[in-house]
Amino acid sequence: MSQTSNYGRDDGPMDQLIRAFANLPGLGPRSARRIALHLLSRKDSAMKPLAHALDHAAETIRTCSACGNLDMADPCRVCQDTSRNARTLCVVSGVSDLWAIERTGAYKGRYHILGGLLSALDGIGPQDLRIASLLERVRHDGFDEIILALAATVDGQATAHYITDRLHGNNSGNQAVKITRLAHGIPVGGDLDYLDDGTIATALKSRA
Amino acid sequence: MSQTSNYGRDDGPMDQLIRAFANLPGLGPRSARRIALHLLSRKDSAMKPLAHALDHAAETIRTCSACGNLDMADPCRVCQDTSRNARTLCVVSGVSDLWAIERTGAYKGRYHILGGLLSALDGIGPQDLRIASLLERVRHDGFDEIILALAATVDGQATAHYITDRLHGNNSGNQAVKITRLAHGIPVGGDLDYLDDGTIATALKSRA
């Protein structure tokens, strides 16, 4: 019997619903069953609003052709916003990183979403990411600063290295664009005792 | 800014989708954002199948008027199955408990779903559960045995007590129906060292 099947029977709409939920990230057969039962006992107050939200989002939300953000408009509202600094570009891995930076309110420039990170293990190469369009954008729009806001992981740092190399090659002849990265250090509210040695050493080295 | 809002902006289809997911049991704003992004990057392979599964389940799945089970047919396929023993009734709290018992394959009788447990704290009284229809069913269908397969919690045992009292009152005059409960004891595969004292004491007392 399949893990997601509720009875040992033919595959009904209940099994299909549970399987669709069980395939979502962070959910398994048990949580999918719980969600399916929750929805079926609240058809009008929860199930129909969710189905409507899915349909509505699938129809209206598209990928911004400039930066790769998800929005109802193309170019997206971040790209259209003329009050934002058009001379600074922040390169992030995914839309959730853009959201995380937007929630801080500390950045008012443009974004470029790579759609992932280079990963030898997962077989993700430069052609799988939006790197060509990044180079094209930098060549065409002429930014003063490019912030590589990528994860402090092996893949994130390898991606930052690769992009830095390509951008430097790209700018040979033009004035060199300034490439910066997020600072490494102690997280705000972080307790020294719980931090890894690498972070503490970096924070000491970069002290100001 | 709301916890579920991705930007500090007006409420778009993305925010509505994230909020609909964040309201599901076991999910919060962060997992809802992750699921929404997962779906939007897989519109055809994940988002549309989920929306279709929701619509299809909402249209086709109904509550069985006899036992309270969720199924495409009313009466449900468990109630319709003439190969099952119609003289034994298993009383469970919810549909997920029925599924759990069905997965074992160890029970081949009928079910009655209460739709919850009596709870003084949550203000759930007998009129909120399908107890009246249980009494009516027992009076009308005449079972040999009623298994109260309810949780070994305060609420579960209070509900079992209440139903036992009502069934005994119900059957004054008729032949007395046999009322049983699930055995308490050591879970199969359970290590004595990790079990609570009450379970071990009960298992000792009920040794066979």
Side-chain angles (χ1 to χ4, degrees), chain B residues 89 91 132-143 146 167 170-171 174 177:
Chain B
L89 185 69
V91 178
S133 65
L134 169 64
L135 299 176
E136 177 54 35
R137 231 179 134 187
V138 171
R139 197 180 300 124
H140 186 268
D141 294 2
F143 295 97
I146 293 170
L167 284 172
N170 210 28
N171 277 277
N174 307 352
V177 65

Side-chain angles (χ1 to χ4, degrees), chain B residues 2-22:
Chain B
S2 132
Q3 266 280 296
T4 52
S5 174
N6 39 29
Y7 305 86
R9 304 186 317 196
D10 52 321
D11 196 51
M14 180 75 93
D15 289 327
Q16 288 165 21
L17 181 64
I18 293 172
R19 207 169 39 244
F21 275 112

Side-chain angles (χ1 to χ4, degrees), chain A residues 7 10 43 58 61 69 77, chain B residues 7 10 13 43 58 61 69 77:
Chain A
Y7 303 87
D10 51 320
K43 277 192 187 176
I61 294 176
N69 188 15
R77 285 190 267 186
Chain B
Y7 305 86
D10 52 321
K43 277 192 187 176
I61 294 176
N69 189 15
R77 285 192 267 186

Side-chain angles (χ1 to χ4, degrees), chain A residues 6-7 9-10 13-14 25 33 37-38 43 47 54 56 58 60-61 69 72 77 96 98-99 103, chain B residues 6-7 9-10 13-14 25 33 37-38 43 47 54 56 58 60-61 69 72 77 96 98-99 103:
Chain A
N6 40 26
Y7 303 87
R9 305 187 314 199
D10 51 320
M14 180 77 93
R33 278 200 294 269
L37 287 175
H38 171 92
K43 277 192 187 176
M47 197 160 188
L54 279 167
H56 190 46
T60 56
I61 294 176
N69 188 15
M72 293 169 72
R77 285 190 267 186
S96 55
L98 183 154
W99 290 350
R103 279 198 299 274
Chain B
N6 39 29
Y7 305 86
R9 304 186 317 196
D10 52 321
M14 180 75 93
R33 278 200 294 268
L37 286 175
H38 171 92
K43 277 192 187 176
M47 198 161 187
L54 278 167
H56 191 46
T60 56
I61 294 176
N69 189 15
M72 293 169 74
R77 285 192 267 186
S96 56
L98 183 156
W99 289 351
R103 280 197 299 274

